[in-house]
Structures are given as C-alpha cells and as structure tokens.
Amino acid sequence: MLDLPINRWIVLIPLIAAAFLAGLILDRLAGTAIDDWIHDSALVFQAREEWRYTAVVVLDHGVPIDVGRKQALPLFAKATERIIAAGGKGVFLDAVVSKEMEGRMPYAACIEPIGAVQWSQPRCAASPTGECRMSNSELGNAPLQMPAFAIEHFKIAPYFSGQEALPDFLLYGLEAAFAVPENGLVASDRLVSKKNSPIARWLDLSPDHAVVALTRFILPQNTGDDYLHGPDDELCDGRRPCRRIRLSKPQFVISEEGNRPMIPVSRLASCDSEIAERTAALLRDKVAVFQLTAPDEATDVLVTPMTTGLLGPHLPTHGAQFLADAVETLLNRDHPRAPALPVKAALFLIAALIGVLSGAYLKQSFVWLIGGLFITAVGSLCYLNDLVQLWPVTTSMIVFIAGVGQTIGMHLIIGSREGKLIINYMPRQIHNLLISLKPNETFQNRRRFALVLMSDLAGYTTVTGFIKDPAEVLNLMNDYLSETSLILQDKYNGWLEDYVGDMVCYYWPYQCNEGENIAACANALQAALELVTLQKRFFATLEERYDRKIEADVIKRIHAIIDAGVGLTAGSVVMGDLGPKKGVRKFGILGDPMNLAARVESLTRLFNTEIIVTEDFIGAARQLNYPVRRLGRLQVKGRNEPATLYAVGHAGDSRFSPDAIAAWENWLAGIETHSSATSECPEVYRKDRSTITKWLERRLLGADGVWHLDEK
C-alpha cells in the first residue's frame, strides 16, 4: 500500500463519479461499435448450429455444366412448385433476373435421375418457302412459370433497373401473373451497416426486405409485428431499422439431412416426381432461399464476423446463407444483445471504483494487474451467455483507465512543484534516459560517440566590469541564452552539458555508422550556423533592448566589444554520473572532444570566422552546400594528436567566396610547406594572416606542417 495524499473519500468520490459518468456518456455515443473486435469473436464462439425454419437451395453439381444460370431458371421454378406443394411456407430467389429473357434458346425443364437434362427446345415452323422459322421454346416464353398457388409464396430480388414496370407474365406466365399478390413479388436483399462498416453484422427490418417477407410466410397472421420490433433494434445507414444477426459458420457442401439443410436443386427439379417430392418434404413448414450458384462457388459472398472474427474460420458467407441466418435470428429471437442499462451502469460503477481505489492505494504494477483481471472478466461475459453477448468491454476498460488516470493526475498535480523543478533543471533527454531506469537501478557509465558544440562570449569579463550590479549581468545572460541557445534544445534536439558563466555546451550522442554520422553532423552544423545568426541579431539589438534599463554609455561600450564564437568537435566520450555516490550528482560527459571543443572555440578570436569545426564535419558541410575554409592542422595545448580545423559559413558571406578561399589555401599551403606562396593572402583574412604571422615568429610551425600551439 502506498501512503498517498489523496486517500480521503471526499477526494475519491468525485473521481469515481466522473469516471462513472464518462462511461455512461461513452456508451451512449459509441454504442456497441467500439467493441466489435471482441463481439465478433464471441459471436463466432456462439455460432448458430441449426436452421429450424429455413433451408438453402443451391445450383448443385447434379445440374450438368452445360446448363447456364439463365437456362436453369425453370429448375428453380419447378423447385418452388414442389416445395409449396409439399407444405413449404415460402421461397426467395436471391438473384437479379431480367424480365426480358431470350426465348429462342433451350431451357432445362427437369433433371433425369441419371443426370441428363430434359430440355425445352425452341420450335421450328416451316415458312412458305420451306425455311425453318425458330420460335420460342415453351419455357422460353416464361422461364419462371409456375402455378398460381406457388406464386403466392414466392419472392424475388429486385429486377434489373427499369424493368419493374414490365408485365410479370414475361417471366412467370399468364396463370401466375394473375395471382401475383398486391404487394408484388420483389423483396429487397440489400445489406445495411452502421458507420459505413464493410462487415455484415445487421439484418434489415424494413418492411420491403426479403428477411421480413420470409418471416411473414412462417408466422401466423397478425403475429409478425411482435417479432419485427424489439427494444434492441437500432438504426442502420441512418434511417433503416436493423438488428444484430446471429450467424452460422459458412457452409460449402450439400447437406439434405443436416441441422442446416442445403438442398440440391437437381433433386427438387428431378424428372422423377418421387425423388422430387421426397426431397421437397424436407422443407415442410420451412422457407427456402434459392442460391443460383454452387455451394463452393466464390460468388455472392459477404464479409461477416465469420471472416474477420478472432476465433472464426476466416471464410466469407454466401448471401443466401446470410439471409437464412437472418430469418432464423428473427424467428428464434436469439439475436445478440447488450445487457440492460441498469446492469451496464452497475458495471461502470464497479469499474470506476476499482480504477480509482487501486490507483489511489496500490503500486502501479498491482494497478494494471487488477485492471487486466477485471477487463478479462468482463470480456469473458461475452462468451458465457448465448444471448447477452454485447457487453461494453472497451467502455469498461476506459472507465477503469479514467479512474486510474484521475488518481495519477491528482498525484501529478500534488507533485507539480517537484516536477517543474526537474523539468527546469534537468535536460529533457537526460530526464527521459534516467526515468526509464528500473527502481533502484543506477545508470552505468557507457562510452558513446558524440558531437560537441561549445560557444563562449568574447569580452564577457570586461562586460561584467562595466555592469556593476550582478542581477543585471544575470538578466543579460538569461536574455542572451533565451534568444540564442534555446533553439539548440528545442529545434535541434541538443543535450545540454552545462552553462558556465557565458559559456554554453551542448552535445549530440550518435551511433557510429556512416549514415548516422552524416545526419548527426548536418544537424549540429545547422544548429551552429543558426546559433551564430541569433547571436549576431542579439548583439545588434542591444541598445534597443536595454534602453533605460542599462546606462546608454555602458551599452555602447558593451556593444563595441561583445562577440561570440562556436567550436564543433566529434569523438568518443564517456557518458554517466559525476559526483559523490551519496551526494548531489550531475549527469554529463567527459572526453577529448570536450577539451578540444574549448580550444577550437577559443581560436575563433584569432581568425575571421565565428565557427570552427574539425574535419569530421566536412562531408556534412559539403552535402549541405556550406562553404568551408581550411585553417590548418593544429595541435592544441594539452593534446598529443593534431586536428585539421576548418571555418564554416554561408555561401553569401564574402569571407567564403570561392576566389577568396582558393587564394587563402594557396597562401597557407605555401607557408605550411615552407615554400613561397603562389598568391597573397586576401585582405578579408587580415586577422588570420596576423595570427599565422605571429605563430611563425614564435616558431610554432613544425617540419610536418603541423602548428604546435603552446597557449590555450
């Protein structure tokens, strides 16, 4: 148990209430859609295993392959007649059929027991000239012709667009056309969804839908409304009443005697009436959905929870089977449903209590363990009951997290002063690095490659002599650092090493590989160039910034002498803790690049440039089109190895014009090789020439062309 400052009920009760109300609101807004990921899996687990009221009739392999779908229509008409005659309740043909059929082609009238087709052939009448004039076959006049008693129990999917007004006798024959019910034969087979979901989860309860029509065939008169309206109904596509469907697993094989009958049309349309009647008897008191494709054919298939559910077979469902499941869902009233609102409210209250109390009193590891167990328990409810399956798992989880989050938020608010101190006095990267350590784990010193940037103010000591008040010096330095070095952290992700008076030092750890080397060097170079630009802008606006804050003559004297330089180096450093084990410690780096950066930065006072870098940065500078000027190979004081140093600047700077750089290089090379220079030193490098001349007078140039400096 943790001794935390929010353990009073007067604080905890509002947190519990807020999490509870958030759950109610989220459940109202999101509904069950937020939990489709687990509900689909639960529906697969509790899949329908029996069709009590429906069957699917398919175009099976008993129909020879040379019979096309259009030519097979009379077989389905024959099947309809025999199903209704045997006591079947109704039929729906799940196919788009044209009323304008080609009459002068053969149609399958029935299937012989041996598998042969008895055809209805087009007729040939002799013309006066003796030629054969083809006329429609008998079934070609009305491929779906059936008796009046059958048409009353028949429904079909919508015809091709624009054919609704064509007379029915073109398809069903005159006898059937006169017996067509007032509400017609067409029933919609459209799919409905919520929030444009591509997954078929809902059945359409609209009066014009095939599911409703088939349900009314089964139900006695005046009892259908009780089945078609319920408290769990929703609105799909924004306006259509709908209900969740309970699906069976996809079936792709003929099964006449199974729990889910899939009947071959070849037997129902058999030329042997005994076989046909025996098969039709299987559909007594049932409705049939006709599928104009083979059961193993991948056409007219839907993506359902059986396709996407976690525990599902990951197979599509035929449209006819989906309709059969929809009718079964209505008639059995076994649609998946959510628990009642009071039950959900109680669940949210429990989630809020567990979240707030565990967050207030327990350690983090126990909090999330309890949360995981609670959500697992709620999720298991979806699998335990075969009706109430749509439990609000995600919303309960969010309520729990909201409760925990509020307590954590309270802890953070109470500890905000400590947090602000850490943020203000510890660099973000170091804070993130150290906070990732396990409890009681200390950071182990490690060797890394790093780029080091060091910048120092020229004339700082003199400035502090001009400004007598230390508070004004501190304000000046804070303004300077805010205006200049802040971008090194925020924009270029630099790690702050230290502020020492007027000196600022940043570094960038990196992996030692060619790609990251170039990228890291480019980032540091851009940071240095922007830093110099900001420094110049700050120095140029000193008089305007500190008008009436610091005496005018003091500002003028400061403006005349203040300047800054930047040194950039690269190499291996050790990163880790500095300080006594039991005292206050500082995280930082040590290594040769730090010492070299300080020496390189100080050289900017001796050359006409603000930025000096080691040769590690030259590849990145050229990639970024920044001009560079070699200053020589120098061995600074306190270092045994020489380093080639370069000045870096912008292409528009006269100090970095190609002609000036070339002339300087010729002049410097002549001095370094102890030979006569082929060109004179450009006037723009007067300061540089003076520095080199003084070094020559002090005999600092070695025979190897290396300058051996003896001063910092």
Side-chain angles (χ1 to χ4, degrees), residues 457 459-480 538 542-543 545-547 549-559 561-562:
L457 285 178
Y460 172 74
T461 304
T462 307
V463 169
T464 58
F466 290 158
I467 304 175
K468 305 300 182 183
D469 187 352
E472 291 185 354
V473 175
L474 187 61
N475 290 336
L476 174 65
M477 287 307 304
N478 283 333
D479 290 344
Y480 164 73
F538 182 82
L542 277 175
E543 295 184 26
R545 287 172 180 273
Y546 296 99
D547 184 30
K549 294 181 182 178
I550 300 176
E551 294 178 10
D553 62 325
V554 172
I555 287 295
K556 287 182 179 179
R557 282 186 285 169
I558 292 174
H559 185 270
I561 64 168
I562 198 166

Side-chain angles (χ1 to χ4, degrees), residues 155-313:
K155 292 290 182 181
I156 190 169
Y159 304 112
F160 284 112
S161 177
Q163 294 188 352
E164 297 86 353
L166 294 177
D168 289 329
F169 70 80
L170 294 175
L171 199 56
Y172 307 104
L174 285 173
E175 178 188 349
F178 284 112
V180 170
E182 289 185 9
N183 60 353
L185 300 177
V186 172
S188 173
D189 60 350
R190 66 176 165 265
L191 292 174
V192 291
S193 67
K194 298 191 71 174
K195 299 181 180 179
N196 298 317
S197 172
I199 301 174
R201 300 186 177 97
W202 296 268
L203 61 91
D204 191 342
L205 294 171
S206 302
D208 67 336
H209 201 273
V211 173
V212 175
L214 291 171
T215 301
R216 291 192 182 279
F217 282 143
I218 291 286
L219 294 173
Q221 289 290 335
N222 303 320
T223 62
D225 288 346
D226 294 339
Y227 287 80
L228 299 176
H229 302 285
D232 301 311
D233 294 350
E234 304 177 62
L235 282 180
C236 290
D237 297 330
R239 56 193 176 87
R240 300 188 187 280
C242 61
R243 190 179 297 172
R244 289 296 288 260
I245 184 172
R246 182 173 303 283
L247 295 166
S248 58
K249 292 184 178 179
Q251 183 172 323
F252 301 99
V253 294
I254 300 294
S255 175
E256 295 184 38
E257 304 290 343
N259 289 336
R260 291 184 292 147
M262 187 168 282
I263 310 296
V265 73
S266 64
R267 294 182 64 81
L268 287 169
S270 174
C271 299
D272 186 331
S273 58
E274 231 182 87
I275 294 174
E277 290 169 4
R278 190 167 58 249
T279 306
L282 298 173
L283 281 78
R284 182 177 291 114
D285 296 327
K286 293 179 182 287
V287 292
V289 182
F290 286 173
Q291 176 180 317
L292 243 63
T293 58
D296 55 355
E297 193 173 338
T299 56
D300 186 29
V301 291
L302 308 175
V303 176
T304 70
M306 293 294 167
T307 316
T308 61
L310 181 62
L311 302 176

Side-chain angles (χ1 to χ4, degrees), residues 11-31:
V11 177
L12 297 177
I13 288 176
L15 302 183
I16 294 170
F20 170 70
L21 290 174
L24 291 178
I25 293 171
L26 180 60
D27 182 68
R28 175 68 177 173
L29 295 176

Side-chain angles (χ1 to χ4, degrees), residues 536-688:
K536 289 181 177 180
R537 184 184 304 166
F538 182 82
F539 301 150
T541 58
L542 277 175
E543 295 184 26
E544 179 182 341
R545 287 172 180 273
Y546 296 99
D547 184 30
R548 298 181 183 178
K549 294 181 182 178
I550 300 176
E551 294 178 10
D553 62 325
V554 172
I555 287 295
K556 287 182 179 179
R557 282 186 285 169
I558 292 174
H559 185 270
I561 64 168
I562 198 166
D563 200 356
V566 176
L568 271 175
T569 61
S572 176
V573 299
V574 174
M575 179 187 293
D577 290 343
L578 297 172
K581 290 185 178 180
K582 294 186 178 181
V584 176
R585 291 189 286 180
K586 173 185 176 297
F587 188 94
I589 60 173
L590 290 176
D592 178 64
M594 291 282 291
N595 302 325
L596 182 57
R599 300 289 187 267
V600 168
E601 188 280 328
S602 66
L603 289 173
T604 59
R605 315 288 188 275
L606 304 179
F607 290 90
N608 189 10
T609 183
E610 291 82 20
I611 302 174
I612 298 179
V613 304
T614 57
E615 58 189 334
D616 307 88
F617 296 86
I618 300 309
R622 288 174 177 156
Q623 191 178 78
L624 295 169
N625 295 320
Y626 293 143
V628 297
R629 176 169 63 95
R630 189 176 67 87
L631 302 180
R633 190 159 176 77
L634 286 73
Q635 181 180 321
V636 297
K637 186 174 181 180
R639 198 168 185 269
N640 296 325
E641 295 295 326
T644 304
L645 303 182
Y646 296 82
V648 180
H650 290 285
D653 192 332
S654 61
R655 296 173 297 175
F656 290 93
S657 69
D659 291 342
I661 292 174
W664 162 265
E665 177 62 31
N666 288 336
W667 179 79
L668 181 63
I671 291 176
E672 289 174 334
T673 57
H674 305 279
S675 61
S676 299
T678 58
S679 64
E680 293 189 3
C681 178
E683 188 60 24
V684 71
Y685 304 131
R686 186 189 309 116
K687 181 194 286 189
D688 311 58

